[in-house]
Amino acid sequence: MVVRLLVAISFLLTPPSAPEVGQALAVPAYFQPGPLWERLDDPGVGIVVANPFSGPGKDFDPAYAAAIAKARAAGVTVLGYVATGYLGSTGRATWLGESDPQAWLAQAQQDVATWYRLYGEHGLGGIFLDEVQNVCQYAGAYRWLDSSIKSLHRGAFTVINPGIGTEECYSDIGDVSLTFEATYESYLSWQPPAWQRGKDPRRFWHLVHATATPEQMAEAMRLGKERGAGYIYVTPDAPANPWDTLPDYWDAELAAARTADTRPPHRPGPVRPVERESTSLTLAWPPTRDAAGYDVYLDGVRVAGTAGRTPAITLRDLAPGTRYSLAVRARDLAGNASAAGRAVQVATRPADGSPPASPGDLRATQVKVASVRLAWTAVPDAAGYDVAVDGRPLLRLPADTAAVPVSGLTPGRTYGFTVTARDASGNVSAPAGPLTVTTPTPSGEPITDGQGTIDGDTVTYRAQYNLPFDFHHVFMDVDGDAATGFATAGIGADYLIENGWFYRHTGTGWSWAPVEGPSPLVSSAGDLFVWRVPRGEIGPHRVVFHGAGSSPEAYSPIITVE
C-alpha cells in the first residue's frame, strides 16, 4: 500500500512531457505534373506550390488542372505561385518594367486573378506569395495584398515567403510565413526570431536544401520541430533550382514528419461578438486548454486562423448588413484539429446608406499589344477601388490609387473595364465604364533590332520585343565555344539575363547561379528592352535574344558584340 502511494505521488509530481510538434510537408513542386506530383497525394503532405511558369501563365493546362484536383481530393492544399518582387525595393521590375510598390501589387493581384480563373474550379486552395520583404516598412502593403486576395477569393489560404525571419509586424499577414529558406549547414545554427516562440507551429514553414543524407534530413526535421515549424521540406537538391525534383529519401521524410499524437484537442465553445461594424466582426470564444491555435469558419468555409492561443480574432472585408454563420476549430501542437464548435449567427451592422460617387473620367492612357494603363478621377470619400475586366473581379486597390497598369492581355482582343469606389462603411458606388479597349495586333518578326555594345566597364544590350512575352532573355556566349555553357540557338551561353536578373551558367543543362549586383534591366519603354551589365571579363562575344512564356517561343539571329 505504501509503495503504491509513493508511486502515485511520484506520478503526480512528475511534470508531463511537452507535447511534440507535429509536422506536415510543404513542397515547392516546381516540376511538371506527372509521376512526381502523384507522390504528393499523401496524408503527410499539407501544402504543395504549383508553378507552371514563374506564375500561372496565360493558358489553361489540363495536366495542371488534373493534378490540382487530385491533390485536393487527397486533402492537400495546392497554392499558386505569385512573385511580389520585394515590391520593387531591390530594383526588381514587373513584366512592364516598373519597380514601384503599386505596380507590383497590381501585377501580383492580376496573377492571383489568373490562377483562380484558370484553376479555381479545379481545387486551387490559395496563393503562395514569393519574394516578400521582411521589414515593417512594407508590412502594410503586404497586409493589403493578403486582405485583397481573401476578400476577392473567400477561403483562399495564403503563404508569404520572405525566406528569413520577419519583424513581428508580419505576424498577422498570411496564414503561414516561410521564415527559413537556405542550406542544411545554415540551418544547424539558425534560430527563429524571438517573437515566434509560443506561436502556433502551423503558422511557420522552413525549407532546407543541400541536405545530402537521410541522417542529415532526420536531424533537420528534428530541429524543425524544436524550432516550431509546423510545415517543413528538406531536400538534397541545391541551387540554382532546389525545387525541381523530390528527394531519394522522400518516404523516410514523410515518416519523420509524423507524430504519434493523433488525439484531437477539445472542442471550443461558441463564438460571441465583441464588436460589430459594417465590414468587420471582432469575435471571442472560451479558450481550449490544449489548443495551439484556432481556425475560424464563416458559412462553413475556413477564412482565418489565429497566430497563437488567444481565443479572439477580427474578420474584415465583410459585407454590411449581412448575417453570417461562424464557428471555430482548435488545433494542437501536433496539428490535430478538433470538431467545430457550435455555429453562431452574427450579423454585421448596416452601411451608412450614403454610397460614394462613381470614379470619373475612366480612360486608357496607354494601350500596348498585351497591356493597358487605366486612369480615373479619384473619389474624395473612397476607401478603395475595385477594377473588373469583362465582368470578372481583377483588382482591389487602396484609396490613394487613381491609375493602374493591367498586363497579361491578349493581342488583338477587345476588353471591357469597370471601376467602382468603396467607402469605409462598405457602400459601393455605381461603376465607371465599361471602358472598351482593343489591344493592337503586332506584325513582323517577334524580336527585332537586337544590338549590343561594349563601352568602358559596361556592356549594353537592347532589343525590340514585339509580342507579349513573359520572359525576355539575353543569352551570351563569351568564350566562342558552342560546346560549353547552355546550348541554345547555335551558341553555348555562359551568361544569361532573364527579365531583371543576371546569371552565370553552372553545371550542365539549365543550371544558373545569380551574379551579385544591381538589376541589369535599364528600361522596357515601348517594348524596347535595354539591359546593362558590368563588363568584367566579357570581351567580344556572341548573343541571342529570346522570348518565351505566354507567346510562342522566339529567337533573334545571332549577333556579335564588340
Side-chain angles (χ1 to χ4, degrees):
M1 185 70 176
V2 174
V3 172
R4 289 182 180 176
L5 180 60
L6 290 175
V7 170
I9 292 173
S10 174
F11 175 78
L12 291 172
L13 294 180
T14 301
S17 59
E20 182 183 13
V21 170
Q23 291 176 320
L25 299 189
V27 183
Y30 297 175
F31 39 79
Q32 294 297 308
L36 290 181
W37 264 81
E38 292 174 5
R39 300 188 71 188
L40 300 173
D41 302 335
D42 187 281
V45 178
I47 294 173
V48 168
V49 181
N51 190 8
F53 214 13
S54 290
K58 285 183 63 177
D59 299 318
F60 174 77
D61 186 331
Y64 264 104
I68 291 170
K70 189 169 181 290
R72 177 64 175 265
V76 178
T77 299
V78 180
L79 308 180
Y81 176 96
V82 171
T84 70
Y86 304 102
L87 298 185
S89 60
T90 63
R92 178 80 182 273
T94 66
W95 301 127
L96 299 180
E98 302 176 37
S99 57
D100 61 278
Q102 284 193 346
W104 271 107
L105 288 174
Q107 178 174 290
Q109 285 197 56
Q110 289 165 64
D111 281 349
V112 171
T114 300
W115 270 112
Y116 275 94
R117 175 174 59 83
L118 296 178
Y119 303 109
E121 65 183 34
H122 298 279
L124 183 74
I127 298 296
F128 177 87
L129 297 172
D130 198 17
E131 300 171 352
V132 170
Q133 262 286 3
N134 71 324
V135 295
C136 289
Q137 176 184 349
Y138 300 95
Y142 284 111
R143 188 174 291 106
W144 177 275
L145 177 58
D146 181 51
S147 175
S148 298
I149 294 169
K150 291 177 176 177
S151 62
L152 293 176
H153 309 282
R154 180 171 292 174
F157 190 91
T158 56
V159 172
I160 60 171
N161 179 25
I164 57 177
T166 65
E167 297 183 16
E168 192 171 2
C169 52
Y170 283 75
S171 65
D172 63 340
I173 303 174
D175 294 290
V176 177
S177 294
L178 202 166
T179 56
F180 181 90
E181 183 179 354
T183 65
Y184 172 75
E185 288 300 320
S186 300
Y187 198 51
L188 291 177
S189 58
W190 178 83
Q191 290 293 330
W195 69 265
Q196 293 182 11
R197 295 173 189 156
K199 301 294 185 184
D200 178 7
R202 290 299 167 102
R203 300 283 296 195
F204 304 106
W205 177 4
H206 297 168
L207 289 176
V208 189
H209 55 72
T211 310
T213 68
E215 292 75 20
Q216 289 179 340
M217 176 274 294
E219 176 63 6
M221 300 289 283
R222 185 191 70 79
L223 289 172
K225 292 181 180 182
E226 184 180 281
R227 294 165 182 173
Y231 292 105
I232 195 166
Y233 176 61
V234 183
T235 177
D237 210 346
N241 181 7
W243 322 122
D244 57 357
T245 187
L246 290 178
D248 292 338
Y249 47 64
W250 171 250
D251 290 336
E253 186 168 341
L254 283 168
R258 297 188 189 107
T259 176
D261 180 3
T262 59
R263 182 179 179 180
H266 292 84
R267 180 187 185 194
V271 300
R272 59 179 178 85
V274 175
E275 186 174 356
R276 295 189 305 123
E277 301 294 343
S278 57
T279 61
S280 66
L281 292 171
T282 298
L283 309 169
W285 52 91
T288 299
R289 177 173 53 85
D290 46 356
Y294 300 90
D295 289 317
V296 180
Y297 290 76
L298 185 149
D299 293 339
V301 176
R302 182 201 177 278
V303 293
T306 65
R309 296 178 172 85
T310 302
I313 201 166
T314 298
L315 303 181
R316 306 185 190 279
D317 298 308
L318 303 177
T322 302
R323 183 173 295 277
Y324 295 100
S325 175
L326 296 159
V328 177
R329 292 180 186 268
R331 281 175 285 105
D332 62 17
L333 286 173
N336 300 307
S338 74
R342 180 170 59 84
V344 174
Q345 302 290 314
V346 181
T348 52
R349 295 187 182 280
D352 62 16
S354 300
S358 177
D361 191 23
L362 177 60
R363 60 200 182 277
T365 60
Q366 182 187 68
V367 180
K368 298 165 72 172
V369 294
S371 65
V372 62
R373 181 173 292 276
L374 303 176
W376 57 89
T377 302
V379 176
D381 57 344
Y385 301 94
D386 290 334
V387 179
V389 56
D390 296 335
R392 298 189 312 272
L394 182 66
L395 298 166
R396 177 153 284 187
L397 303 169
D400 58 356
T401 308
V404 67
V406 178
S407 59
L409 304 181
T410 300
R413 180 178 162 184
T414 299
Y415 294 89
F417 294 96
T418 60
V419 178
T420 54
R422 290 176 293 104
D423 65 16
S425 182
N427 293 302
V428 178
S429 74
L435 171 69
T436 301
V437 177
T438 301
T439 53
T441 302
S443 60
E445 293 297 318
I447 304 173
T448 56
D449 300 326
Q451 303 174 40
T453 56
I454 300 174
D455 184 12
D457 295 332
T458 62
V459 186
T460 301
Y461 306 96
R462 66 183 64 229
Q464 184 82 23
Y465 286 79
N466 300 313
L467 289 176
F469 298 107
D470 294 326
F471 291 91
H472 305 82
H473 291 141
V474 185
F475 291 106
M476 300 124 73
D477 182 355
V478 301
D479 63 5
D481 188 349
T484 64
F486 177 71
T488 182
I491 66 171
D494 306 295
Y495 289 90
L496 163 69
I497 297 172
E498 181 179 78
N499 294 340
W501 297 94
F502 188 30
Y503 299 95
R504 178 186 294 106
H505 189 260
T506 60
T508 59
W510 187 265
S511 180
W512 305 93
V515 177
E516 295 297 328
S519 171
L521 184 64
V522 175
S523 68
S524 59
D527 298 321
L528 174 65
F529 281 73
V530 180
W531 297 273
R532 187 170 293 123
V533 298
R535 177 175 180 177
E537 299 178 358
I538 301 176
H541 59 285
R542 300 191 299 167
V543 165
V544 169
F545 296 93
H546 172 247
S550 51
S551 293
E553 191 173 25
Y555 295 85
S556 76
I558 299 172
I559 67 168
T560 299
V561 178
E562 297 179 324

